[in-house]
Amino acid sequence: MSESDIDMDRCLLGIDDEKACVPEITWTNCADEMPPDDETEIIIRHVEDKEPILTPANEVFYDIDTLYKDVWEWTEFTPEKWEELNK
């Protein structure tokens, strides 16, 4: 069990304060690694405006040329991450 799993468990049990409940969000640049090519829900964002978008992974870059991969980032979807990004 990772430290973040333990923190989330403590948060869900009401043991820690609100700060401990904030999920760590690691972004992956699409130029480094593209999201999975399936229907998994992921969160993407443009590196300039940072507006989060929830989408199925296989629909993300269907029409985007490879020249634009370096301006998009993605992370796996969790309800906690989505909630934090939309505060």
Side-chain angles (χ1 to χ4, degrees):
M1 182 178 284
S2 72
E3 186 175 321
S4 62
D5 291 334
I6 293 169
D7 288 344
M8 188 55 68
D9 288 346
R10 292 176 60 84
C11 174
L12 293 172
L13 293 170
I15 296 171
D16 288 330
D17 61 17
E18 186 175 317
K19 183 179 178 186
C21 298
V22 176
E24 181 178 330
I25 300 174
T26 302
W27 292 94
T28 302
N29 188 287
C30 293
D32 298 329
E33 180 184 347
M34 288 292 285
D37 188 19
D38 60 22
E39 295 181 10
T40 304
E41 292 269 296
I42 61 169
I43 303 167
I44 63 170
R45 70 179 184 180
H46 192 274
V47 297
E48 291 179 7
D49 67 22
K50 307 288 188 197
E51 184 70 29
I53 302 166
L54 183 60
T55 183
N58 62 355
E59 294 181 14
V60 176
F61 298 103
Y62 185 74
D63 293 325
I64 295 179
D65 188 276
T66 56
L67 294 173
Y68 300 106
K69 288 182 183 177
D70 62 339
V71 298
W72 289 95
E73 299 173 317
W74 68 280
T75 189
E76 292 181 10
F77 168 79
T78 66
E80 296 82 12
K81 286 180 187 178
W82 187 243
E83 182 179 332
E84 180 64 23
L85 290 167
N86 286 288
K87 281 186 177 179

